[in-house]
Amino acid sequence: MRSVRLVVLSCLCLAVATAAVAVDGPEIPNRLPQAKAGEWVLMQGTSGDNMGVRNRVTVTAVTDGVVSLKRERLGEDGTVEETNSFDLNLDRLASRNADLRERATAIDTETIFVNDKEFSVVAVSWKGDPAEDGNVREFKIWISPDLPVGGLAKTWSSDHDFPSSEIVDYGF
């Protein structure tokens, strides 16, 4: 269930509106509105409960401003252990998450490699609401307009010293 929440959180982050930036930095790309049925990403969990977990997220349909996704949790042998499907209403997500740009503490450009191919990404950092223990969690996502399923390349939260998940493969 935690991996489903991570995928949904990641997709919510991708539906960011393009309002004025509160900090200096490049425009945050949002490739999710251009998603096409059949494109997919393979994300590798790299910390916490998701350590070693691989999730393949596939666009199953795009109709009337709704992107339908299927998340498959893969076993070590590549077999599907669990499948979840969900819809993302792009207008509702953009409206709900438009404040990310205002809450951003940094927006930078970086370079990553996926399968030996170089991608330019925009890295967005922000602080979340205080957790139950009173600590304010920090988050960072890396997004590329050149990667499928919204362009999400990596996620990180201050719960971990290294990325929470990152893209290891993709297809259009």
Side-chain angles (χ1 to χ4, degrees):
M1 191 56 148
R2 183 170 161 76
S3 60
V4 173
R5 287 193 306 258
L6 178 61
V7 170
V8 171
L9 172 64
S10 300
C11 291
L12 291 174
C13 294
L14 294 174
V16 175
T18 55
V21 178
V23 296
D24 289 336
E27 182 177 325
I28 301 171
N30 180 7
R31 194 184 170 285
L32 201 55
Q34 288 80 39
K36 298 199 178 349
E39 65 184 39
W40 58 274
V41 293
L42 181 62
M43 301 294 287
Q44 170 81 40
T46 55
S47 60
D49 294 343
N50 286 327
M51 178 73 87
V53 173
R54 288 184 167 223
N55 289 293
R56 181 174 48 224
V57 180
T58 304
V59 176
T60 57
V62 181
T63 55
D64 299 325
V66 175
V67 177
S68 299
L69 301 171
K70 174 176 70 173
R71 188 216 39 102
E72 298 168 299
R73 180 179 174 153
L74 305 179
E76 289 182 17
D77 60 356
T79 59
V80 177
E81 294 181 341
E82 177 185 320
T83 300
N84 302 93
S85 296
F86 50 95
D87 294 332
L88 299 175
N89 179 301
L90 297 176
D91 288 338
R92 188 171 63 237
L93 291 175
S95 174
R96 192 179 336 158
N97 293 289
D99 70 327
L100 177 58
R101 294 181 69 80
E102 292 296 322
R103 294 173 54 184
T105 56
I107 303 174
D108 302 300
T109 303
E110 299 179 16
T111 300
I112 64 159
F113 289 87
V114 181
N115 292 339
D116 297 326
K117 185 173 179 185
E118 184 175 311
F119 291 91
S120 177
V121 294
V122 174
V124 182
S125 302
W126 73 96
K127 294 184 179 194
D129 295 327
E132 290 180 12
D133 62 6
N135 290 326
V136 175
R137 292 176 60 197
E138 295 179 39
F139 301 93
K140 187 172 184 177
I141 56 174
W142 290 259
I143 306 168
S144 172
D146 301 319
L147 288 169
V149 192
L152 184 67
K154 245 190 314 191
T155 65
W156 172 85
S157 76
S158 57
D159 296 337
H160 311 289
D161 292 333
F162 40 86
S164 303
S165 67
E166 58 190 323
I167 189 171
V168 293
D169 203 1
Y170 61 93
F172 291 93

